[in-house]
Amino acid sequence: MDYMNGPGRHHLFVPGPVNIPEQVIRAMNRNNEDYRSPAIPALTKTLLEDVKKIFKTTSGTPFMFPTTGTGAWESALTNTLSPGDRIVSFLIGQFSLLWIDQQKRLNFNVDVVESEWGQGANLQVLASKLSQDQTHSIKAICIVHNETATGVTNDISAVRTLLDHYKHPALLLVDGVSSICALDFRMDEWGVDVALTGSQKALSLPTGLGIVCASPKALEATKTSKSLKVFFDWNDYLKFYKLGTYWPYTPSIQLLYGLRAALDLIFEEGLDNVIARHARLGKATRLAVEAWGLKNCTQKEEWISNTVTAVVVPPNIDSTEIVKRAWKRYNLSLGLGLNKVAGKVFRIGHLGNLNELQLLGCLAGVEMILKDVGYPIVLGSGASMYDFIEFSLMCVEWLKKNLVRGVEWR
């Protein structure tokens, strides 16, 4: 390798996996245990109740698989659908592309709605398809809430509005891998039938837990699903839920303790406060990009993401070189441009257990790298925009609190 760790801490700013808090690392630093002992079922019971809170559901049933988001995708599909079922799926970037590839390989009839990369899901096309589907041949709508390849966030509530408007019974399956615990997500309110996330994203855990939450309607769909499934079979889990032992096979003990610590941190901060913090950090990053004279890959304000910003570089600069230099010279990990945007964008991940000072360090590092590759940047310009928004937000919060208290102005 032509890279060796430099002094100091590595700076991880890809959109997952993310930095792991010390409290979580300490919670996972333990020996193996017998998962059939009373301790692990007791822990699992509290986890199942508490993960429902991050999906904002009271009626959903959660499942925790020792897998990645890809496994969670497969679980969502195979437990609710049968081979040959028609799915409408939105292609807006690399990860929606991969999910569509999985859908096709599982022998579903995938009706792909493609948008230019940097745009959100084309809901006008969905409306047209739903209005024409009088026989209800569409069995599911599959959509990625937050596409990390391009920094695009889709409006899930608008999808539910269309389904309700046309009185269409299709299931709504949502990839919330890089959104849940960071962006506003309301499973019950938005009528999401299956939502899923991965431990290595906003939960700030190591990779290895795929968490799926199924609505009562989705559980009912399992009764008619003819897809082959073994490892990801919800019914196996439900049998062990009834027995009170919870696990049909050996769970990842250390990750369960880590999840307990991660959820405790989120609830201590307050989930809505976590979401507001991501909004603040996302806005600051976008202002920095604007101050640098660069553009966001996301083409409209309505699609902006608060967990990742994909930065478009000038044609004379290869974004891959920016990412390589960040790693080799500054011990900083930035996200590569993927597939159609390879060499054209680099990505700044700002999700998980992250604070303002950490992000400022990243923005300063990006400025130094841009200068190294010959981009005419004013050093400190991004950080100054960060200071501006932080100060403005502090003023707004102060005014809200003190005007309510009836402070007299002098």
Side-chain angles (χ1 to χ4, degrees), residues 336-409:
L336 287 163
L338 302 172
N339 202 316
K340 289 187 177 183
V341 292
K344 300 176 182 178
V345 309
F346 67 91
R347 296 174 296 145
I348 302 173
H350 34 82
L351 74 160
N353 193 275
L354 181 72
N355 64 29
E356 290 79 1
L357 289 179
Q358 287 172 283
L359 183 59
L360 275 170
C362 172
L363 297 179
V366 172
E367 290 185 357
M368 290 189 289
I369 298 158
L370 289 171
K371 185 175 186 297
D372 288 349
V373 299
Y375 180 75
I377 188 170
V378 177
L379 293 177
S381 56
S384 66
M385 292 306 295
Y386 188 102
D387 292 339
F388 170 76
I389 184 171
E390 187 66 15
F391 177 74
S392 299
L393 287 168
M394 287 172 61
C395 289
V396 169
E397 289 304 312
W398 188 90
L399 287 170
K400 284 180 181 178
K401 291 178 182 177
N402 289 284
L403 285 176
V404 169
R405 295 173 185 163
V407 169
E408 294 183 6
W409 291 91

Side-chain angles (χ1 to χ4, degrees), residues 28-44:
M28 294 187 297
N29 185 19
R30 58 195 309 126
N31 211 328
N32 280 328
E33 298 179 32
D34 176 10
Y35 74 95
R36 296 182 179 89
S37 74
I40 299 305
L43 172 63
T44 304

Side-chain angles (χ1 to χ4, degrees), residues 74-92:
E74 186 168 332
S75 170
L77 295 167
T78 57
N79 279 280
T80 58
L81 300 166
S82 300
D85 279 353
R86 183 185 174 195
I87 301 171
V88 174
S89 199
F90 296 94
L91 200 173
I92 62 169

